[in-house]
Amino acid sequence: MSTELKSAARPAAPGTGGRKRKLTYPWVLLILAGALVAVSALRAISGATDLTSAGQFGAALSAAVPIGLAGLGGLWAERSGVVNIGLEGMMMLGSFAAGWAGWQHGPWAAAAAGVIGGALGGLVHAIATVTFGVDHIVSGVAINILALGATQYLATILFGHEGSAAMAAGGNDKQSPPMSDMPTFTVPGLADWLNGIESHHWFLVSDLAGVLGGAVTGVSWLTLLTAGLFAGTFYLLWRSAFGLRLRSCGEAPLSAETLGVNVYAYKYAAVLVSGALAGLGGAFLAISVHFYQDGQTGGRGYIGLATMIFGNWRPGGVALGAGLFGFMDAMQLRSGGPTVHALLLGLAALLAGLAVVRLRAAKRAQAAVAGVAAAVLVVWYALSDNVPLELVEASPYIATLLVLALFSQRLRAPKAVGKPYRRGQGH
């Protein structure tokens, strides 16, 4: 591969003299270990035992899958230079297609139909943005609106028609008939052993057992497939010539064109994969509850977009972001007020640490805001035993805003993302 194409795909970060700092794997492991110690301490102090239980982490893993797939879909599109705000609509199409195919042919057919439904949404977005040069944001918003209307209309026709087979099987104009269960797997012996260690509530050891127990107990095969898709995405986009060319389309498409890369073809491929991944995320939602339901995506496409930004357009970062938001989502569904109340103390500690970091960087205003917010949260935790239901339900979205606010200064999007491109315009 030529030097010019490599430099187009990997531009130098500003102010680094051509060298870009990387978060190495030892540092990632150290950060994860520190996070586990912090959560263990929070569990011990607050007494919220469900905070690190296997059930909590199993539910968090399931909640993270559709968000992660949407974020991974956004990564594929934006690495090729196409902004995909339409992830939510593509998830809707995927969940509807899964509901339609699932009640007739089972959960695996539902997953395949979801991929096809999402890919069709991606195809529409690619035609609009790549071929006709429509503004990416406008096209994405239009897809979200069209997908919402189309799925509601088709649900009425296919599931809610009086006297139809779907209605006789339990469908209506808001949801599909139920489908059979997706198989799950549990590692025999290991799951019971970890559950026994967790029940002792030992500091750190039981918490680690709870985390690992959630990953080996009742796990859907689609969850394993999602993990494989993350690994495959990393290999394809960062370890292959195909990925280098695709990323060059998002960084410097004119340079890529001069080196013989068919930019249109790579953008089309990336947006189709983006839609297919988002559609699989929507299918996962339908399969996990056994039917399609109106409003099922619940904004997860937008949260997936946030995980992509939080993850700095990298698969590992997207996975971490999806895990965080999945944890918050599962927490408000399983435990509600008591566990969210315990997290007030954890958030206060995080903000206090942020205040110290900002103070050392001579950013006194930001340090003062973070310090005052930490003090308010400590007082709130001390003077209450629970939190309002509205805050519990909004906790995943609050986490989204906080993460983006804290990490936005360290992010770098592909240079040409969202910019119009026409073949030969640089000649």
Side-chain angles (χ1 to χ4, degrees):
M1 190 62 60
S2 64
T3 305
E4 292 89 344
L5 187 54
K6 291 181 179 179
S7 63
R10 290 195 291 259
T16 61
R19 298 180 61 186
K20 184 179 177 181
R21 291 184 179 180
K22 292 184 178 180
L23 193 62
T24 59
Y25 289 111
W27 274 107
V28 171
L29 294 175
L30 186 62
I31 291 171
L32 291 176
L36 180 61
V37 171
V39 173
S40 301
L42 182 61
R43 189 266 304 166
I45 294 171
S46 66
T49 56
D50 197 49
L51 193 62
T52 57
S53 68
Q56 167 67 24
F57 276 88
L61 189 61
S62 295
V65 168
I67 296 173
L69 285 170
L72 197 63
L75 183 150
W76 271 84
E78 299 211 1
R79 278 294 179 179
S80 74
V82 179
V83 176
N84 192 357
I85 298 294
L87 291 168
E88 178 77 4
M90 295 169 196
M91 289 188 77
M92 292 180 196
L93 294 173
S95 64
F96 173 82
W100 176 77
W103 76 275
Q104 301 176 80
H105 306 292
W108 288 111
V115 169
I116 295 171
L120 289 175
L123 178 61
V124 173
H125 190 50
I127 292 172
T129 57
V130 179
T131 301
F132 292 104
V134 176
D135 182 89
H136 299 189
I137 304 299
V138 172
S139 175
V141 171
I143 287 174
N144 290 336
I145 296 172
L146 289 172
L148 176 61
T151 53
Q152 289 178 341
Y153 173 74
L154 290 173
T156 302
I157 298 299
L158 297 177
F159 304 144
H161 187 67
E162 192 69 35
S164 65
M167 199 166 191
N172 57 55
D173 60 352
K174 296 295 183 182
Q175 69 179 49
S176 67
M179 71 181 79
S180 56
D181 289 334
M182 167 65 73
T184 61
F185 81 96
T186 298
V187 180
L190 180 60
D192 294 334
W193 179 64
L194 291 171
N195 185 55
I197 295 176
E198 180 196 340
S199 64
H200 291 290
H201 301 299
W202 295 325
F203 179 74
L204 193 59
V205 177
S206 292
D207 301 299
L208 180 60
V211 173
L212 296 177
V216 298
T217 306
V219 180
S220 169
W221 289 102
L222 283 180
T223 302
L224 285 182
L225 175 62
T226 300
L229 289 171
F230 270 88
T233 292
F234 173 76
Y235 175 80
L236 279 175
L237 296 189
W238 275 268
R239 293 292 185 270
S240 71
F242 169 84
L244 179 59
R245 294 188 184 100
L246 187 145
R247 288 186 292 118
S248 71
C249 296
E251 297 287 355
L254 295 178
S255 299
E257 178 190 327
T258 60
L259 295 169
V261 175
N262 188 335
V263 176
Y264 283 174
Y266 277 88
K267 285 180 181 288
Y268 259 89
V271 179
L272 281 172
V273 172
S274 176
L277 290 169
L280 182 59
F284 184 91
L285 292 172
I287 293 168
S288 62
V289 297
H290 306 112
F291 51 79
Y292 157 79
Q293 190 174 38
D294 185 31
Q296 194 164 45
T297 56
R300 288 177 178 83
Y302 300 114
I303 297 179
L305 199 63
T307 66
M308 178 201 67
I309 298 170
F310 162 72
N312 205 19
W313 291 265
R314 303 277 298 197
V318 173
L320 288 176
L324 171 63
F325 300 131
F327 180 84
M328 297 297 295
D329 197 10
M331 183 185 63
Q332 62 98 3
L333 290 173
R334 279 177 49 85
S335 308
T339 308
V340 177
H341 179 254
L343 284 184
L344 292 177
L345 195 59
L347 183 58
L350 181 63
L351 288 172
L354 179 64
V356 173
V357 171
R358 288 290 183 253
L359 190 60
R360 293 185 62 181
K363 297 181 178 180
R364 293 186 177 86
Q366 295 180 16
V369 171
V372 170
V376 170
L377 289 175
V378 170
V379 172
W380 186 1
Y381 176 82
L383 298 180
S384 64
D385 296 322
N386 215 319
V387 292
L389 179 61
E390 293 79 9
L391 181 61
V392 175
E393 294 174 345
S395 57
Y397 307 101
I398 295 174
T400 304
L401 293 174
L402 285 174
V403 167
L404 291 178
L406 292 174
F407 292 96
S408 60
Q409 295 180 349
R410 293 182 174 270
L411 305 178
R412 192 196 74 82
K415 292 184 68 174
V417 67
K419 296 181 180 178
Y421 162 79
R422 280 289 169 268
R423 181 177 292 153
Q425 65 182 1
H427 299 309

